[in-house]
Amino acid sequence: MGKKDAAGVSSETQPLLEKSSTKKRLSFDLTDHVAKRQRIEERTDHTRWRMRDDKGRQSWVYLEDDQALKDWPQSFADKYFLGLPVNAPDLPKPTNPLDAVRNGLEFFEKLQLPSGHWGCEYGGPMFLLPCIVIAWYVTKTPIPWYYATEIKNYLFARANPEDGGWGLHIEGETSVFGTSLNYTVLRIVGVDADHPVMVKARATLHKMGGATHAPHWAKWWLAVMGVAQWDIVNPTPPELWLLPDWVPIAPWRWWIHIRQVFLPMSYLWSKRWQAEETELIRSLRQELFVEDWAKINWASHRNTINPRDNYHPKTWVLNTVNWCLVNIWNPVLRTQAIAKKGEEWAMKLIEMENENTDHADLATVSGPMNTVCLYVKEGPDSYAVRRHRERAHEFLWMKDEGLLANGTNGVQCWDTAFAIQAVMDAGLTEDPRWRPMLMKALEFLDDQQIRENVKDQDKCYRQQRKGGWAFSNKDQGYAVSDCVSEALKSVIILQKTPGFPTLIDDRRIFDAIDTLLTYQNPSGGCSSYEPPRAGTWMEVLNAAEVFGNIMVEYEYPECTTAVVTALSLFRKHWPEYRTKEIERFIERAVKWIKTAQKPHGGWYGSWGICFTYATMFALESLASIGETYKNSDYAKRGCDFLISKQREDGGWSEHYRACETGEYIEHPSGSQVVMTAWAVIALMKADYPNLEHIKKGIKLIMDRQQSNGEWLQEAIEGVFNKSCMISYPNYKFTFTLKALGMFARKYPNETVV
């Protein structure tokens, strides 16, 4: 591939080793790579992989030079992430929950990265890796052999053992979406069509109808490749961006993720751009379709979709709109001038997104799409395209199974905030043993606070963010209500602990509060990135098919509680700042929490699975205003709901299908340590009187702890848009430690073991 530097790092990866502020950028050999055979091996040497942490920018580096291995030893965290032996010593068997917390921290501390945060994979969705790899292919971006090899290994490991296909996410049933795109990825990275894995996957894909039965997003990517024709893609005209802001369906009103995906989709749909035809593309035309490719009536399959992929069927309203666009707008009313103006404004919005995120972009779908758009507009050698190629590495994650794509460029700020709070809940913030770890975490949050609003905030439809924190890091730069809240709580906790410095002064704290106060909706509840800009009726235009609740923002018990608890903590220390507004905010927010309670007593979770997760947050909200099991019917019903789901072994076990169906469903594998932690935290927050139920849950958490202090990975924990699950592997540390620590402080004289 490329030349190696003195450290043995290939030229494709070299930019990962440079500070983002340097002017040296990645230079690719853009000769006709598609004519060359992609190098691929059986596996890489996992002892040669390293996680580079550049102030919260995470990227995996493969060292091909032996000297590099000596110069850059593999860390404990590297080995843990890769599933290599870490040889952590056995610790004294805990005799009480606080001992278990200390043992857990002994292990978890070793996973803290140099910049002070905790990293982890943020995988699960099986459509993310195809976005990156297909974008690489169509922009003629070379794929290092070690990437190709481990992408192959990951997809082989995640193929359904029964039918050989891939689903929407790692625990989901096989779908056309997952199978068509991941089959394509495997062919791109060099796997032959006659490989047994490919033969099995292709047979399954054909049984489901082939790629003509894929959902909209897959059809779009296949059209960009030239594997399908654009007529199979339902219209996404960029001139929608030209609608006046007052128009009820104007895209600026959509949820941030869908509008950032629609933006590049619309640009390339309008251009009808397709990649240079190659032998692989010609072969895929035969492999992915049941029909004779040359005879396919592409337009007739715009709405063809396999039932497994059709989680949110298109409404008659959307079908009518699409018919009008195809049969009236496009051929009769859409002039070249209108199309050009729409394309130009869409590209301007993409460029503003690049400027505001240093080309990291919002997430793993929109970023690669934007890369292709910029390649089409500016060519392969432009700064924007080269910078996008560099930043794509930050979305990849290497583990024992292979190389996957994260949902964003990490979970850095989010997990670090919860780690700090877990120590606080155990009453250990003043313990000198944990001060260095906590100090590094505080310094990280100090560095990652977003200090300014984005340039042209109103012009690019962005929410106020000054003083906030992102889910991942400040480069990505999208403040989220609960991310701001959890980080702010962690900062206040540490800076009000004797012995910790005040790194973030009052003005910066006030900036965070000012931003938090913008998140409340008219209902009183809080959303994620911004208050809703349109009603839920907008879902009639949901064209994604595989997701629900995707068109607009919604109120969430999780986000609402995070803001309520942050404001409650803040006003204890700064009672004079915006006092009445904060008081009114909390009052209205908790009132909304009550209205969101389900008849069975639980709350529906949109970011974790599912009722267990949201009920934990909701009961914390109620407790923040003094409402507990003893004096609140809402809290009592919430506790009774959780108790009704406790298993015989003391744990809780909710399956991801609860998110899809809206009904509590038991996980077939039994109790989950993370969900058990969520449930007992909720019960303790609500002062549930029957301590034996809580003790049984605490005992299960302690029993699941390994002798070296860790907990093992169990079922997937997170969700978004109702149907897609996503991994939060650090939850098995942060929430278990929180539950154990809360119990130790709340019931110091109780015996569990």
Side-chain angles (χ1 to χ4, degrees):
M1 303 297 289
K3 295 181 180 179
K4 291 181 287 187
D5 67 2
V9 183
S10 68
S11 60
E12 290 88 353
T13 312
Q14 179 61 36
L16 304 177
L17 312 185
E18 301 167 358
K19 303 293 185 182
S20 65
S21 60
T22 62
K23 294 183 179 179
K24 186 176 179 180
R25 296 301 178 197
L26 192 58
S27 177
F28 284 95
D29 176 11
L30 294 175
T31 55
D32 186 11
H33 77 291
V34 294
K36 301 175 182 178
R37 175 78 174 175
Q38 171 68 55
R39 179 185 171 190
I40 190 170
E41 304 288 348
E42 182 177 344
R43 69 187 305 275
T44 64
D45 181 351
H46 284 196
T47 66
R48 293 180 178 271
W49 287 96
R50 302 290 186 271
M51 160 58 64
R52 175 167 290 278
D53 169 25
D54 177 12
K55 295 184 177 180
R57 303 178 193 95
Q58 301 170 164
S59 51
W60 283 93
V61 179
Y62 190 72
L63 305 177
E64 297 187 83
D65 185 83
D66 290 340
Q67 184 60 43
L69 301 180
K70 299 177 182 178
D71 296 341
W72 187 357
Q74 209 165 33
S75 70
F76 184 98
D78 292 336
K79 294 175 184 177
Y80 176 80
F81 297 143
L82 293 162
L84 298 174
V86 293
N87 301 318
D90 289 344
L91 301 170
K93 186 175 178 62
T95 59
N96 56 64
L98 192 58
D99 286 345
V101 171
R102 292 192 176 100
N103 283 1
L105 288 175
E106 286 284 351
F107 190 93
F108 194 45
E109 179 190 37
K110 296 181 178 67
L111 300 181
Q112 188 178 30
L113 294 174
S115 68
H117 77 278
W118 279 266
C120 66
E121 71 167 284
Y122 186 48
M126 292 302 296
F127 57 88
L128 302 175
L129 195 56
C131 294
I132 294 175
V133 176
I134 294 175
W136 280 341
Y137 188 79
V138 302
T139 60
K140 301 182 180 180
T141 303
I143 303 174
W145 72 268
Y146 39 86
Y147 274 12
T149 296
E150 293 301 346
I151 287 169
K152 176 260 297 180
N153 289 341
Y154 180 74
L155 292 181
F156 277 16
R158 283 299 175 179
N160 186 296
E162 295 180 3
D163 60 34
W166 294 270
L168 178 64
H169 56 87
I170 58 175
E171 294 191 11
E173 64 181 358
T174 294
S175 67
V176 178
F177 191 23
T179 304
S180 61
L181 290 185
N182 286 296
Y183 181 98
T184 299
V185 167
L186 286 169
R187 294 289 280 119
I188 289 172
V189 299
V191 181
D192 291 331
D194 60 358
H195 189 287
V197 170
M198 307 300 281
V199 172
K200 188 175 182 180
R202 190 165 62 248
T204 293
L205 176 61
H206 288 184
K207 287 178 184 177
M208 294 188 292
T212 55
H213 289 60
H216 178 75
W217 288 17
K219 288 172 177 171
W220 185 90
W221 274 116
L222 294 177
V224 169
M225 279 192 74
V227 173
Q229 296 291 10
W230 275 109
D231 283 346
I232 201 173
V233 181
N234 269 310
T236 54
E239 50 268 31
L240 278 176
W241 290 99
L242 303 177
L243 290 172
D245 287 352
W246 57 263
V247 175
I249 64 167
W252 76 276
R253 299 178 182 276
W254 302 351
W255 185 48
I256 182 64
H257 279 277
I258 194 63
R259 69 177 187 256
Q260 289 293 359
V261 168
F262 176 80
L263 187 59
M265 270 190 170
S266 68
Y267 182 84
L268 289 181
W269 173 86
S270 185
K271 292 285 189 182
R272 296 178 78 87
W273 182 87
Q274 293 188 309
E276 176 187 341
E277 187 174 294
T278 64
E279 185 59 40
L280 174 60
I281 288 172
R282 288 189 287 271
S283 184
L284 284 170
R285 290 171 180 170
Q286 309 307 315
E287 296 168 38
L288 294 179
F289 297 94
V290 176
E291 307 91 337
D292 181 342
W293 191 88
K295 297 179 180 179
I296 293 175
N297 182 343
W298 299 99
S300 71
H301 287 293
R302 275 195 296 265
N303 295 316
T304 302
I305 184 170
N306 186 281
R308 285 191 183 180
D309 293 84
N310 205 14
Y311 178 76
H312 190 283
K314 291 188 289 294
T315 64
W316 70 267
V317 175
L318 180 59
N319 285 330
T320 301
V321 170
N322 284 337
W323 186 93
C324 293
L325 289 171
V326 169
N327 295 287
I328 300 174
W329 175 253
N330 291 345
V332 180
L333 302 177
R334 188 179 195 243
T335 66
Q336 283 189 340
I338 291 175
K340 182 180 179 182
K341 191 173 182 181
E343 291 170 4
E344 288 174 348
W345 180 234
M347 178 51 66
K348 179 62 177 176
L349 290 169
I350 290 172
E351 290 169 347
M352 286 190 280
E353 167 75 348
N354 287 339
E355 183 176 2
N356 291 330
T357 63
D358 188 12
H359 301 80
D361 293 347
L362 175 62
T364 321
V365 176
S366 58
M369 288 180 173
N370 288 342
T371 305
V372 181
C373 292
L374 292 158
Y375 176 88
V376 172
K377 177 181 180 286
E378 301 179 0
D381 296 322
S382 72
Y383 171 81
V385 173
R386 289 184 287 116
R387 187 63 177 141
H388 264 282
R389 284 174 171 143
E390 293 174 2
R391 304 230 65 169
H393 299 280
E394 296 172 37
F395 291 82
L396 299 171
W397 188 268
M398 183 63 194
K399 59 179 297 187
D400 55 343
E401 295 174 316
L403 192 70
L404 59 92
N406 283 336
T408 62
N409 58 336
V411 293
Q412 296 91 314
C413 291
W414 181 249
D415 276 352
T416 300
F418 280 130
I420 292 170
Q421 292 176 41
V423 180
M424 180 277 292
D425 282 309
L428 297 176
T429 52
E430 295 188 55
D431 187 334
R433 169 67 184 83
W434 310 113
R435 187 176 300 275
M437 176 186 76
L438 293 173
M439 191 64 227
K440 287 173 62 180
L442 177 60
E443 289 170 348
F444 177 77
L445 293 181
D446 169 37
D447 178 66
Q448 292 298 316
Q449 188 182 27
I450 301 167
R451 306 293 288 273
E452 299 293 340
N453 290 318
V454 300
K455 182 182 177 182
D456 297 322
Q457 176 177 301
D458 294 336
K459 189 175 182 181
C460 57
Y461 314 118
R462 286 288 296 273
Q463 171 77 1
Q464 177 179 324
R465 68 174 192 172
K466 185 178 181 180
W469 282 267
F471 180 71
S472 56
N473 60 27
K474 65 183 179 183
D475 283 4
Q476 189 258 10
Y478 277 86
V480 190
S481 63
D482 53 355
C483 300
V484 178
S485 300
E486 301 299 350
L488 179 61
K489 285 191 290 185
S490 299
V491 167
I492 294 173
I493 287 165
L494 289 184
Q495 293 194 163
K496 296 301 180 181
T497 298
F500 284 89
T502 300
L503 300 182
I504 299 180
D505 61 27
D506 286 2
R507 181 61 261 170
R508 290 169 62 190
I509 296 287
F510 297 162
D511 287 343
I513 294 297
D514 293 344
T515 289
L516 278 182
L517 291 175
T518 69
Y519 282 108
Q520 191 162 46
N521 306 327
S523 67
C526 295
S527 302
S528 54
Y529 292 87
E530 56 205 14
R533 299 173 175 183
T536 58
W537 57 265
M538 190 80 84
E539 292 297 336
V540 301
L541 300 179
N542 181 349
E545 299 159 323
V546 295
F547 306 115
N549 289 6
I550 196 172
M551 289 301 297
V552 294
E553 276 277 13
Y554 288 80
E555 297 97 346
Y556 307 109
E558 307 99 298
C559 295
T560 305
T561 295
V563 180
V564 164
T565 52
L567 293 175
S568 298
L569 178 63
F570 170 81
R571 68 178 178 176
K572 290 180 181 178
H573 298 284
W574 293 272
E576 305 301 322
Y577 189 78
R578 302 185 70 170
T579 307
K580 293 296 183 183
E581 293 165 88
I582 291 173
E583 183 179 319
R584 177 63 177 152
F585 190 112
I586 293 172
E587 178 185 333
R588 293 179 60 231
V590 177
K591 187 176 292 185
W592 176 81
I593 288 282
K594 293 177 179 179
T595 68
Q597 190 171 30
K598 300 298 182 183
H600 55 47
W603 282 262
Y604 179 86
S606 296
W607 304 105
I609 302 171
C610 168
F611 294 100
T612 316
Y613 183 70
T615 301
M616 171 184 68
F617 283 97
L619 291 178
E620 185 175 11
S621 269
L622 295 174
S624 73
I625 62 166
E627 292 197 24
T628 62
Y629 186 92
K630 182 178 180 180
N631 61 15
S632 168
D633 181 61
Y634 297 98
K636 182 179 185 301
R637 288 169 54 219
C639 290
D640 290 343
F641 166 75
L642 289 175
I643 293 299
S644 74
K645 305 303 181 186
Q646 190 172 24
R647 297 169 64 89
E648 186 64 29
D649 62 3
W652 278 261
S653 179
E654 193 173 3
H655 193 264
Y656 74 79
R657 289 206 177 275
C659 304
E660 299 175 343
T661 65
E663 301 292 334
Y664 189 98
I665 297 175
E666 288 278 342
H667 201 290
S669 67
S671 293
Q672 306 291 310
V673 69
V674 172
M675 287 167 188
T676 301
W678 291 341
V680 296
I681 289 168
L683 294 171
M684 286 188 283
K685 289 288 185 182
D687 289 337
Y688 184 71
N690 189 334
L691 191 55
E692 291 307 309
H693 286 279
I694 298 174
K695 289 172 69 172
K696 286 180 68 177
I698 291 294
K699 186 176 187 306
L700 181 138
I701 294 171
M702 293 180 66
D703 289 345
R704 295 277 179 94
Q705 189 176 31
Q706 304 299 296
S707 59
N708 62 7
E710 71 171 317
W711 284 270
L712 302 180
Q713 185 63 36
E714 297 174 344
I716 203 163
E717 307 89 351
V719 63
F720 60 90
N721 298 122
K722 301 184 74 171
S723 61
C724 194
M725 307 308 127
I726 195 160
S727 301
Y728 288 85
N730 279 337
Y731 281 5
K732 65 180 176 287
F733 292 103
T734 54
F735 282 106
T736 52
L737 292 170
K738 181 182 181 75
L740 294 170
M742 283 180 62
F743 186 91
R745 293 185 74 186
K746 192 174 181 71
Y747 311 107
N749 299 318
E750 290 292 335
T751 302
V752 175
V753 180

